[in-house]
C-alpha cells in the first residue's frame, strides 16, 4: 500500500508537469499564429481583387474564399462581414 501511494503521487506530479508543458507550448505557438479580423467590402468583387485591396498581393485570394465559404471566387460579396487574416 505504501509503495502504491508513492507511485500515485509520482503519477500525479508527472501529469501536472505534463499539463504545464503543454500549456507553455500552446501559449508559445499561439502567440506566433496570425490573428483574424473582420472586414466589409464596399462592393462585390473577385477574390483576387479583394486580396489585392486588403494585402497588396493576390496570394491570399484562396484563403478569403475558403474561410468565408464564398461560392465563386469571382464574386466575393460586398456589404457583408468577411473574416480575414490580420496582416
Amino acid at each position: 500500500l505504501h509503495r502504491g501511494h508513492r507511485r500515485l503521487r509520482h503519477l500525479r506530479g508527472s501529469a501536472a508537469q505534463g499539463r504545464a508543458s503543454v500549456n507553455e507550448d500552446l501559449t508559445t505557438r499561439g502567440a506566433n499564429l496570425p490573428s483574424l479580423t473582420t472586414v466589409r467590402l464596399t462592393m462585390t468583387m473577385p477574390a483576387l481583387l479583394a486580396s489585392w485591396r486588403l494585402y497588396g498581393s493576390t496570394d491570399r485570394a484562396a484563403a478569403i474564399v475558403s474561410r468565408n465559404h464564398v461560392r465563386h471566387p469571382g464574386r466575393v460579396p460586398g456589404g457583408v462581414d468577411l473574416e480575414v487574416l490580420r496582416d
Side-chain angles (χ1 to χ4, degrees):
L1 188 64
H2 182 53
R3 200 177 318 164
H5 283 267
R6 274 190 283 162
R7 179 75 177 137
L8 183 57
R9 201 174 14 207
H10 173 72
L11 288 174
R12 284 183 183 155
S14 295
Q17 187 177 18
R19 282 191 302 272
S21 295
V22 168
N23 187 35
E24 180 181 339
D25 181 58
L26 290 175
T27 301
T28 301
R29 283 201 255 176
N32 297 325
L33 292 174
S35 59
L36 297 173
T37 190
T38 302
V39 299
R40 188 177 288 227
L41 301 175
T42 57
M43 57 199 250
T44 299
M45 63 183 67
L48 290 170
L49 181 57
S51 179
W52 181 262
R53 288 191 174 178
L54 293 170
Y55 304 110
S57 166
T58 58
D59 294 346
R60 296 188 185 172
I64 293 170
V65 170
S66 65
R67 180 171 299 281
N68 294 284
H69 309 287
V70 174
R71 291 181 189 214
H72 190 282
R75 296 187 47 82
V76 178
V80 298
D81 288 341
L82 298 172
E83 189 178 78
V84 296
L85 294 175
R86 189 177 305 234
D87 198 25

